[in-house]
Amino acid sequence: MNPAPAFWAPWAWLHGAWAPDVLLRADSQGLWSEVSAGTPAPAHAEHLPGPVLPALVNAHSHAFQRAFVGLAERRETAHDDFWSWRDRMYGVALRITPEQLRVVAEHLYAELLAGGYTHTCEFHYLHHAADCRPHDPHGADALAMSRALAEAAAATGMRLTLLPVLYERAGFTQPALREDQRRFATTVDSVLKLRDGIRAWRLPLVDAGVAVHSLRAVRPASLHGLMQALQGDAAPIHIHVAEQTAEVDECIAATGARPIEWLCREGLLDARWQLVHATHATPAEINAVAQSGAGVVLCPGTEANLGDGMADLPGWLAAGVPLSLGSDSQVTRAWPEELRWLEYGQRLQRRQRNVAAHPGLQPSTAARLFEAVLQGGAAAAAQPSCSLRVGAPADLLLLNSHDAALRGLPLSHLLDGVVFAAPQRPFLRTLVAGRWVPQRDAAAGAAFERVLRSLWPR
Ligand SMILES: [Zn+2]
């Protein structure tokens, strides 16, 4: 029998600060069984050449959208916004096959692992066949697209929470989906069947919750029915909410309430809920979310790319709402860049510096944001913790402190350097469940290129 993998690092991020001489030991379940600071390096432990950080959860991803990253940055008409981007995104969504999705997702997950994430929550709404004939919800094919994502995760070493999405209609006043949305069609019953099918695989690094596409895409009665069915289930429930001002206006017109206000008013929210974006939230809505225990998933790179608007970061932080990060449309695939965007947006808007820092408590902007999303990411993926502590997933990031961007920085400022002064990803290696993530080979990159060429309009 192989001995339990053990690692010794000169510095490790424990309890929100750097601790020296840390021994970490993983158990056979891929969890940390020992985390001890101030321990001389034992002979049997792998001696790591730099400081280590806990890895983060990527709490919001649509893997297939990696297939047109970099291809939607041109404006050919008078106006371009979220909704015109969405129409172009559907061009890929309607054509991608399970085989193509597996290749795209494998490429993406390898990039995300290199970018400091070891767990991805897939907000997964591509369930039906590419020719738009819905799969038999009781047949094996209903899970073909989910299986493609699980296989990509297994091939790369990514932990995965699959969130099959309830998606019923094209808008608040629309009775059904649009023609180009038919691949997304689900019911409460079919979403629960997808969830159960994923759980029945019993894959070691894969679990399942559910998602609600948005309030505009789901009938209120269905949402209440879903919540009834989820009584006693502790898995996460994710929803896109208040990303666009047009969506907020339509929600008010249809229900008399703003989207987050409506969710609170209906008594739906609890600690299982993750509100994705929540860009347009009033102070009263922020307080109500804080009281519910729900978390918020911020996707700063995508929100900037799509021109969504700016979240009230100081408001969410002050209210103590769990916050996490999502790569969403995949334009950004590393958490240091997401945190940089998150803070820089606030600085530009407020003409202030170090907006997220908390003088007297945590003066480092990067440390305050990193700790926030470390804790919030665990909640988004229904993990007890993602910190380097006993019982947490045995994942970590080995920092390259010899990176040209980080050389000479005092340890006290190293995390600030990673977020604000290191444009490259400064991680040497990524560990998941006690094992180092393998390097990608050239053949995998070539397969991704072939799929991309076949998917983009000729
Ligand atoms: Zn999304």
Side-chain angles (χ1 to χ4, degrees), residues 70-328:
L71 293 168
E73 310 303 333
R74 295 171 175 224
R75 182 163 62 85
E76 313 274 6
T77 55
H79 189 69
D80 195 356
D81 63 10
F82 171 87
W83 308 101
S84 46
W85 169 87
R86 190 186 69 161
D87 286 343
R88 275 176 281 176
M89 178 264 282
Y90 282 179
V92 173
L94 285 175
R95 290 162 55 207
I96 193 165
T97 65
E99 295 73 27
Q100 291 170 327
L101 179 62
R102 187 194 188 285
V103 171
V104 170
E106 190 174 323
H107 185 84
L108 169 69
Y109 294 158
E111 288 182 293
L112 291 168
L113 285 158
Y117 300 109
T118 55
H119 191 143
T120 290
C121 299
E122 270 293 333
F123 199 102
H124 176 44
Y125 54 81
L126 287 182
H127 299 295
H128 302 300
D131 62 5
C132 289
R133 278 179 310 182
H135 289 295
D136 172 2
H138 304 288
D141 273 348
L143 285 163
M145 296 295 269
S146 303
R147 193 177 302 103
L149 294 169
E151 287 172 359
T156 53
M158 179 66 82
R159 296 177 189 274
L160 187 66
T161 297
L162 273 165
L163 303 164
V165 175
L166 180 59
Y167 206 144
E168 297 179 309
R169 62 182 186 181
F172 284 99
T173 57
Q174 306 295 314
L177 292 169
R178 286 182 0 190
E179 178 69 13
D180 57 1
Q181 296 173 316
R182 281 192 303 157
R183 265 196 107 170
F184 318 153
T186 49
T187 63
V188 170
D189 194 41
S190 70
V191 161
L192 295 173
K193 280 198 172 70
L194 288 164
R195 179 203 63 177
D196 293 345
I198 294 159
R199 287 179 178 171
W201 296 336
R202 299 189 183 282
L203 294 172
L205 300 184
V206 177
D207 59 14
V210 298
V212 176
H213 182 272
S214 54
L215 291 185
R216 72 173 183 273
V218 170
R219 286 182 276 276
S222 302
L223 189 44
H224 282 286
L226 179 67
M227 295 313 294
Q228 283 242 306
L230 293 175
Q231 278 183 6
D233 191 302
I237 307 163
H238 290 220
I239 183 171
H240 288 133
V241 71
E243 178 180 7
Q244 292 287 317
T245 52
E247 176 203 351
V248 175
D249 295 343
E250 287 167 14
C251 188
I252 292 170
T255 70
R258 302 165 58 83
I260 298 171
E261 181 187 12
W262 187 88
L263 283 167
C264 297
R265 194 179 75 185
E266 297 288 308
L268 290 163
L269 298 184
D270 58 36
R272 295 173 297 173
W273 281 81
Q274 297 295 321
L275 310 183
V276 180
H277 303 300
T279 308
H280 304 286
T282 64
E285 287 175 308
I286 290 174
N287 281 336
V289 173
Q291 283 172 17
S292 76
V296 166
V297 184
L298 302 168
C299 310
T302 294
E303 288 152 10
N305 188 277
L306 298 181
D308 287 345
M310 199 82 74
D312 183 358
L313 178 65
W316 291 117
L317 284 170
V321 171
L323 301 179
S324 55
L325 294 175
S327 64
D328 194 3

